[in-house]
Amino acid sequence: MDIEAVLDRSCWVIDALPRQVPADSPGQFFAVERYLLHGPERDVFARRAARILLKLSCYCELSLFYPRSERTLETPAPETLDQAVQDVLTGRGPEPELFVLLPGADTLLRLGADELCLTLYDPPEDLLWLLGQLARAEGLFLWQPPR
């Protein structure tokens, strides 16, 4: 899979918020984001994301790719998948970013240590529906940012 080409495609996000916060919002998005990234909610989000990916792995083949070290883990065991997600999303692991490759769908999910969302690139409709269900079950939202 050509990751750079996939990253140029349309994306969706699995997020704690139901839509993008407008730039002119009177709210305090950046203060809340900072608090969530550096407080106990970061671990809660990491647990939710790990459960989504563990459940997703019941339905499709997936691999983990670490872009910094260029290391790939094919069909990781549930414990390995769980730990990989926890390490990246809590910022406690050696890698700040992780791609979850879904080769059968030519789709990928990106997880970053500095973000509280999962970014899903170019998903087919059936995968989009499934991830929407899994996100909702974890109290998260799936939405498409404006291009």
Side-chain angles (χ1 to χ4, degrees), residues 47 50-51 53-55 57-58 62 64 74-86:
R47 287 283 347 122
R51 282 192 298 263
L53 294 176
L54 285 165
K55 293 173 186 177
S57 74
C58 295
L62 56 84
L64 305 179
E74 303 287 338
T75 317
E79 300 82 8
T80 303
L81 174 58
D82 183 38
Q83 192 62 55
V85 172
Q86 298 296 316

Side-chain angles (χ1 to χ4, degrees), residues 130-147:
L130 178 59
L131 281 166
Q133 298 299 310
L134 296 174
R136 261 191 299 287
E138 292 297 331
L140 300 172
F141 301 93
L142 175 67
W143 51 271
Q144 188 171 33
R147 289 196 103 192

Side-chain angles (χ1 to χ4, degrees), residues 53 56-57 60-64 73-76 81 100-103:
L53 294 176
L56 180 63
S57 74
C60 59
E61 177 187 357
L62 56 84
S63 300
L64 305 179
L73 298 172
E74 303 287 338
T75 317
L81 174 58
V100 178
L101 309 173
L102 295 103

